[in-house]
Amino acid sequence: MFKKNNYLTNDEKIKKRAELLYGNTKENKSISNNDDEVKGELSALVEMDTKKKPNTIKKEKDYSKTADLLYPNMKNKTDKIDTIKSDKNNNNNEKLNNDNKNNFTGGAASTKNTLKNIGLDNNYEIKNGAISPLKKQKEYEIINNIKYPNNTGNKKVEEMLNQAKQERSEKYRKDTEDYLKFHELHKQFGIDHSDNKIIKARGKKIYGNEAIENLEMSKTKSYINTDYAKKHKIYNNYNEAPDNLKNYFKDKITEQIGADKLGKTKGIYIDADSESSNSLKSNLLKDNDFIEKLKKYDNAMNKKYKINDSINLKGKNWGNAVGNADIRDMHINKNGDIEFYVTDVYDFNEGEKNPLVKIGRNRQDNGNITPYFYAYRVIISKEEKEQLLKKGKIND
């Protein structure tokens, strides 16, 4: 049997803990000898902390009663000390993990430093391991000499802007139709009859193979169903595109021709081993702007980043077949080669002054041409890349 004076219930321990911690001197006078021993041990702890000489307290001194009194839910001193150390270590580890996480995900300062280390300025962003130029949002859009602010959140302003855009489109259509009644008649004839064997051969000689084939694939009557198209992979909509391009095409189609066209806009994938892709590569290897991009992004790609950017292709063939396009997913593959896609939506932009574009837009508005999306996969070998970086254009 335990003696009553030496046995304290949890409630009694908590009460006496409160008395000791909050200095209830009146009650302390009646504390038993057992409590005096505990008080003495607490005093020794306070003295040790004050003098900052932990070695003055004998290591073998038993603080189990003190620990049991102050921490009634703990069994003994060892549990108490181990738990405190564990909590401290866990807190330190959590802080370290959070610091590492912050450094990895990066804030503005981290991104800035990363870009600086790979030779880029703050006009780029890093997202999901890919580097892209920042998109500059237009603050205003000028229509008929009136400035309409963008992204105001004001419904009335948005309605006015949309109405102004619609009126501008209608005016462009009417002006184009009036112009084409008496101008560019031979070019209109060539575009409208590009499926004719003689006209097609003549067109390829003047403009290039891809310029004519891409035009033919856009014709509503032969929409992505030409002999050329059948040599490549055809998609019924953006959901059939490679996973790494699905969201890109979804956004691109929505932006250029409207979200209502998402389900019915077809696409084509032209692989790296095709004649068209190799022709595109040859064009790029002689393009100073593209070579400069390779030089600019070389360090980033060597550090396993992927690159998204844009390119304005030159030359009659690729200038007309593609023109302005996007570079997606450019990276160094496991063989050390540079691999990427040249992508976009094939359509004719409103407002262009180029006669061929005006004709194409007119036919698109009238339903004779239907936009589609495309992806050319291009691979530049390690040797070709090294030659480019050292000497500039290949076959200068």
Side-chain angles (χ1 to χ4, degrees):
M1 298 291 292
F2 291 101
K3 293 182 180 180
K4 185 176 181 180
N5 288 341
N6 292 333
Y7 178 78
L8 297 176
T9 66
N10 279 342
D11 289 341
E12 290 172 329
K13 290 177 182 179
I14 293 172
K15 180 179 178 182
K16 292 189 180 299
R17 177 181 64 172
E19 292 170 353
L20 291 170
L21 291 177
Y22 296 102
N24 190 335
T25 54
K26 182 176 180 181
E27 292 294 326
N28 284 347
K29 289 180 181 179
S30 61
I31 295 176
S32 66
N33 292 334
N34 183 56
D35 294 330
D36 286 338
E37 182 181 354
V38 173
K39 283 176 59 182
E41 292 175 356
L42 285 173
S43 299
L45 283 172
V46 173
E47 182 181 1
M48 177 182 72
D49 185 60
T50 304
K51 293 181 179 180
K52 303 296 181 183
K53 293 180 180 179
N55 292 334
T56 59
I57 304 299
K58 294 181 180 179
K59 293 182 180 179
E60 65 270 14
K61 191 160 182 69
D62 183 9
Y63 293 105
S64 61
K65 293 180 181 179
T66 305
D68 193 30
L69 181 60
L70 293 177
Y71 301 90
N73 292 328
M74 299 180 185
K75 291 182 180 180
N76 52 49
K77 170 187 164 186
T78 305
D79 289 342
K80 168 180 175 272
I81 294 173
D82 287 345
T83 304
I84 293 172
K85 285 182 178 179
S86 176
D87 289 343
K88 184 176 180 182
N89 289 336
N90 287 338
N91 289 337
N92 288 339
N93 289 336
E94 184 177 353
K95 182 178 184 301
L96 182 61
N97 289 335
N98 286 336
D99 289 343
N100 288 337
K101 185 178 179 182
N102 290 335
N103 288 335
F104 180 76
T105 56
S110 177
T111 300
K112 182 178 179 180
N113 289 335
T114 300
L115 290 170
K116 184 178 179 181
N117 289 337
I118 55 180
L120 298 174
D121 58 28
N122 296 329
N123 293 317
Y124 296 85
E125 66 176 352
I126 302 175
K127 187 176 181 180
N128 299 326
I131 296 175
S132 310
L134 286 171
K135 292 183 179 179
K136 295 181 180 179
Q137 299 292 337
K138 287 184 179 180
E139 188 176 356
Y140 295 97
E141 186 155 359
I142 301 175
I143 302 176
N144 294 329
N145 298 319
I146 298 175
K147 278 186 176 181
Y148 294 90
N150 288 312
N151 304 318
T152 63
N154 187 309
K155 289 186 178 180
K156 185 64 178 176
V157 174
E158 289 177 0
E159 288 174 3
M160 293 172 64
L161 175 58
N162 290 333
Q163 184 176 352
K165 286 181 177 179
Q166 185 176 349
E167 291 174 354
R168 180 179 61 185
S169 294
E170 291 173 356
K171 185 178 185 304
Y172 177 80
R173 288 185 187 184
K174 186 178 184 307
D175 290 347
T176 301
E177 285 179 357
D178 291 343
Y179 175 80
L180 293 179
K181 286 179 182 178
F182 306 103
H183 300 85
E184 313 297 347
L185 298 180
H186 67 291
K187 290 180 180 176
Q188 293 184 64
F189 182 85
I191 288 175
D192 292 339
H193 299 88
S194 58
D195 58 332
N196 179 281
K197 290 183 179 180
I198 297 174
I199 294 175
K200 189 172 187 176
R202 173 78 174 165
K204 287 186 176 183
K205 187 175 181 180
I206 297 173
Y207 297 108
N209 185 71
E210 281 69 30
I212 300 301
E213 292 293 356
N214 287 3
L215 172 64
E216 271 302 290
M217 287 192 293
S218 74
K219 297 287 187 69
T220 304
K221 63 182 181 181
S222 56
Y223 185 53
I224 311 295
N225 194 34
T226 62
D227 291 339
Y228 174 87
K230 292 173 183 177
K231 294 178 183 178
H232 307 287
K233 189 171 184 63
I234 298 170
Y235 302 125
N236 289 310
N237 56 57
Y238 78 95
N239 269 319
E240 296 181 2
D243 289 340
N244 57 335
L245 294 176
K246 281 182 183 178
N247 288 334
Y248 161 79
F249 281 127
K250 181 181 179 181
D251 294 341
K252 199 75 177 177
I253 293 167
T254 301
E255 177 187 346
Q256 289 195 206
I257 58 177
D260 59 315
K261 306 293 194 304
L262 280 173
K264 53 189 177 183
T265 299
K266 292 186 177 182
I268 186 167
Y269 176 87
I270 297 143
D271 212 345
D273 58 358
S274 66
E275 289 184 16
S276 291
S277 180
N278 280 299
S279 172
L280 174 56
K281 181 176 79 168
S282 296
N283 181 279
L284 290 171
L285 294 180
K286 298 174 183 178
D287 189 314
N288 286 326
D289 290 339
F290 178 74
I291 295 168
E292 288 304 311
K293 289 182 187 295
L294 283 186
K295 291 178 180 178
K296 178 170 64 175
Y297 293 125
D298 185 51
N299 195 12
M301 287 190 289
N302 284 324
K303 293 183 181 295
K304 308 302 181 185
Y305 285 103
K306 294 181 178 181
I307 306 299
N308 297 322
D309 207 328
S310 59
I311 188 73
N312 182 17
L313 295 177
K314 304 173 184 65
K316 283 187 177 181
N317 183 28
W318 289 103
N320 287 304
V322 170
N324 293 316
D326 295 321
I327 293 173
R328 299 292 302 182
D329 229 8
M330 185 163 71
H331 64 281
I332 297 176
N333 63 23
K334 62 182 180 180
N335 298 322
D337 304 326
I338 294 179
E339 186 174 335
F340 58 96
Y341 300 94
V342 174
T343 60
D344 205 347
V345 172
Y346 185 94
D347 73 330
F348 293 89
N349 296 329
E350 186 180 273
E352 295 286 341
K353 295 181 180 180
N354 184 316
L356 293 174
V357 179
K358 289 171 79 78
I359 297 168
R361 182 68 193 197
N362 174 260
R363 274 36 177 191
Q364 183 175 317
D365 289 337
N366 292 335
N368 297 318
I369 282 178
T370 303
Y372 63 88
F373 64 88
Y374 61 81
Y376 294 88
R377 181 168 170 253
V378 180
I379 296 177
I380 296 175
S381 71
K382 183 178 180 181
E383 293 73 23
E384 288 171 326
K385 176 197 126 177
E386 289 174 353
Q387 186 178 345
L388 277 179
L389 297 182
K390 288 179 182 178
K391 299 180 181 180
K393 294 181 186 178
I394 290 183
N395 299 325
D396 262 349

